[in-house]
Structure formats: structure tokens, C-alpha cells
Amino acid sequence: MRVTAYVVHNRPFQENKILLDLFSLELGLLRAVYRLPKKGGRIVPSPFVRYEVELKGRTELKSISAIESCQPPMRFDGLQLYTGLYVHELLSRLVTIAVPVPDLFVLYEWLLKSIQLGAPIAPLLRRFESGLFQELGMSINMAYTGNGDAVLPSQLYLFDFKLGLRPFLGGRPKQRPMMFVDGALAAKYMEGEWSNKDVLMMSKELHRNWLDYLLSGKAIEARRLLPKQSYKGDRLYGVPKFSI
């Protein structure tokens, strides 16, 4: 079996072996054992390099019989590197093993190339996270309320995990929502206007909470490497409120 893949995680496995998480075009996320060469430099396959990989085995855990780079490595440092590590942690923890997600693979390569070209990081991450949610079947719907009504630009809504958007009719909510968001901003989010500062501010808070929900509150370790900016904008009843 031959796949095109990137290394998104590695860890020691047995003597002279390491365990690799590979994100592949053909089969999505794969886990495979790589035996380190006995002669020459004991080079571990690197992240941010596109490889052609020969795999063996019928179980979920594959063996790598050959691995060869097919492009020069992308050189990231600082925030670019931390962004890549964050994305790799999301892929390794959230994507189902051996389920093809070719659209997500294309999005991942777009992300790497955009980072390499020096594009602003925040819009790239929000776009990637949105695509990841869609591939997981957990996309965020802000075009309709939880009852199926179209979102109105002039209406203020509450948003929470289970009920989605609900019109805010005034008064303190009985259950604390994740956020308040007006319909006009919700529409811009659904249109993917990632360069809009209001969309970026709202989607950062939204995606952070959505990821915590998907991971059952388990910490994303790579977040510690990224800049920490707590929300300092408007609040209603102590809950973040986003509007245009």
C-alpha cells in the first residue's frame, strides 16, 4: 500500500523503532511503526514534509517498509511552528483512523503553503478549524436556528452547544449560553469572511469552546505555545456578546 502523507506526531515505540501518526491523502489518519536505519544517520521523518510511504499490515497499526520525501521540507519557526504543532495535535486527536478525508488533506496543504508565504495566522486557523469541524460531521450552523428558522440580520441570538442559535427575547437566560451573537455577524461567519475582524474575534471564542466540547474538556497541549488573548469585549449577563 502506497500513500502520500505528512508526519503529524511521533513517539518512541520499541528499541530502534518509533510510532508515527501520518496524515495521508488516501486514507486520512494512519498509525505506523518505523524502524530506524541501522547504518548512516538515524534520521527521524520530519513534520511539514510531503512523503511517499509504503505501508504493510492488515491491522490498524501499519509497518513502514519505505518512506521517501518528495519535496524540500518547509522551514517554520516561532508562531508559524507553533501553529503547525497545534494543527497536528488537532488532526492526531480528532480525525478517525483510516477514514479518507481528501478535502481536509487539501485544506491542510493549503494551510502549510499559506503559512510558508507569511499569511496572517488567525484567519488561516479559523478557516482550517471550520473545515475540520465539517469533516468530523460537527460543523457549526449559524444560518438557521435550532428550530430550523432562518437567522435574521437584525435579531440577537443566544448560542450553545446542544440547541444552536435561539432568538434572545430579553431577560436573563435560565441556562448560560456560550455567547450572544447578532444575526448579521452570524451570516458573515457562515460566508467565511475570515478577514473580517468581528468574525475573527467571534470565531476564535466559538472555535475554542467547540474544540473543548469535542475533546470533552481535555486540554490541547499546543495551545500553551500560542499567544493567549482572553476576550475583553462586550458582555451581556457576563456572557461574551458579539455584533457588527
Side-chain angles (χ1 to χ4, degrees), residues 4-17:
T4 299
Y6 290 82
V7 175
V8 296
H9 188 55
N10 71 70
R11 51 202 175 278
F13 183 59
Q14 295 174 348
E15 187 177 359
N16 298 323
K17 295 179 182 178

Side-chain angles (χ1 to χ4, degrees), residues 57-115:
R58 296 182 179 179
T59 65
E60 208 171 73
L61 182 61
K62 308 297 183 185
S63 296
I64 296 174
S65 56
I67 183 167
E68 181 179 356
S69 63
C70 50
Q71 67 174 32
M74 298 183 186
R75 303 295 184 186
F76 297 152
D77 56 22
L79 182 57
Q80 293 180 330
L81 176 60
Y82 303 152
T83 299
L85 296 178
Y86 168 77
V87 167
H88 284 181
E89 184 172 352
L90 296 185
L91 291 172
S92 187
R93 294 179 62 180
L94 288 171
V95 176
T96 303
I97 295 288
V99 174
V101 282
D103 289 345
L104 187 60
F105 184 89
V106 170
L107 183 61
Y108 169 76
E109 288 204 312
W110 166 84
L111 175 77
L112 294 187
K113 291 172 184 176
S114 298
I115 292 173

Side-chain angles (χ1 to χ4, degrees), residues 102-146:
D103 289 345
L104 187 60
F105 184 89
V106 170
L107 183 61
Y108 169 76
E109 288 204 312
W110 166 84
L111 175 77
L112 294 187
K113 291 172 184 176
S114 298
I115 292 173
Q116 190 176 41
L117 291 172
I121 295 296
L124 298 181
L125 278 181
R126 302 297 85 83
R127 170 69 185 93
F128 179 82
E129 290 165 349
S130 178
L132 174 63
F133 298 151
Q134 184 173 352
E135 288 294 337
L136 295 174
M138 294 293 291
S139 57
I140 299 170
N141 185 352
M142 285 197 165
Y144 296 92
T145 69

Side-chain angles (χ1 to χ4, degrees), residues 14-25:
Q14 295 174 348
E15 187 177 359
N16 298 323
K17 295 179 182 178
I18 56 174
L19 191 62
L20 299 179
D21 286 2
L22 303 170
F23 186 52
S24 72
L25 172 62

